[in-house]
Amino acid sequence: MFSRTRVKICGFTRAQDIDAAVQLGADAVGFVFYPKSARMLSTEHAAALRARVPAFVQAVSLFVNASENVVREILEQVQPDLLQFHGEESPQECRRYAHPYIKAFRVGAPGLDTVDGLLEQCLNYRDARAWLMDGYHDAYGGTGTAFDPELIQGLQARLQDQDGLPPLVLAGGMRIDNVAERVALHRPYAIDVSSGVELEPGIKCHTKMGQFMQILGKAS
């Protein structure tokens, strides 16, 4: 069991929101590079936001089935600490950049709707720095769609006796009114939140972020 639950807040578009998240104690901030997302950033905008992220807070760049050229441009211009792959990227595609990465899984999607299927897919990405469990939706990420907790519990049971595997990060429908319950049930390494602390897509609510961090701190 981890000493505390870490938190990544994802989908930033404004400098003042990053400043507030850092002050509130976020461990990581996420930038989205998915053209269909309302939180999509240009390379220039992302580079300016990334420059506000201080030492010991990680900057994470999120992609969904992006081309190699796009990912390499972001690596060069934005210089994220971590890449987050949220689509159907193969293990080879995730590894080609020789850069630390997180692999997201849409729990409940075809092939990921059983514990065995979820475990099999996760083990294909053993070198990921974390496995992120998101809810299944036609869209990718930031939808607020929750996953089936029994699938996560089943996965954790299968993993508990195995050493050296990536830790679990829980996303999908995390909000002020349910994060304490989710943490108590799953005891994850980290929580990833986006829509649950927003006024609208890409616009973070500083009050909600503060409440979320406070509740998470007490629940950890």
Side-chain angles (χ1 to χ4, degrees), residues 22-66:
V22 169
Q23 292 172 358
L24 290 167
D27 297 282
V29 296
F31 305 132
V32 175
F33 300 97
Y34 177 45
K36 294 183 180 180
S37 172
R39 305 171 182 89
M40 168 73 178
L41 297 175
S42 68
T43 303
E44 294 76 15
H45 189 182
L49 293 178
R50 197 269 181 269
R52 303 185 76 90
V53 183
F56 310 124
V57 177
Q58 290 191 304
V60 184
S61 291
L62 185 154
F63 304 94
V64 179
N65 302 322

Side-chain angles (χ1 to χ4, degrees), residues 132-203:
L132 186 146
M133 303 291 119
D134 200 4
Y136 174 54
H137 190 277
D138 290 340
Y140 292 86
T143 64
T145 304
F147 50 74
D148 181 350
E150 291 188 4
L151 285 175
I152 302 303
Q153 287 180 295
L155 177 64
Q156 290 178 308
R158 297 285 293 276
L159 295 173
Q160 64 182 357
D161 295 327
Q162 301 190 47
D163 295 324
L165 293 177
L168 295 188
V169 178
L170 301 187
M174 294 296 170
R175 304 185 306 273
I176 291 167
D177 62 351
N178 67 12
V179 66
E181 179 183 359
R182 300 281 185 87
V183 169
L185 181 62
H186 300 295
R187 309 308 303 179
Y189 171 72
I191 292 290
D192 191 328
V193 62
S194 182
S195 61
V197 292
E198 287 183 329
L199 296 169
E200 60 184 80
I203 307 300

Side-chain angles (χ1 to χ4, degrees), residues 42-44 63 67-80 97:
S42 68
T43 303
E44 294 76 15
F63 304 94
S67 70
E68 181 177 353
N69 288 341
V70 167
V71 178
R72 292 200 182 279
E73 178 185 356
I74 297 305
L75 277 169
E76 180 179 351
Q77 300 297 325
V78 181
Q79 300 183 350
Y97 308 100

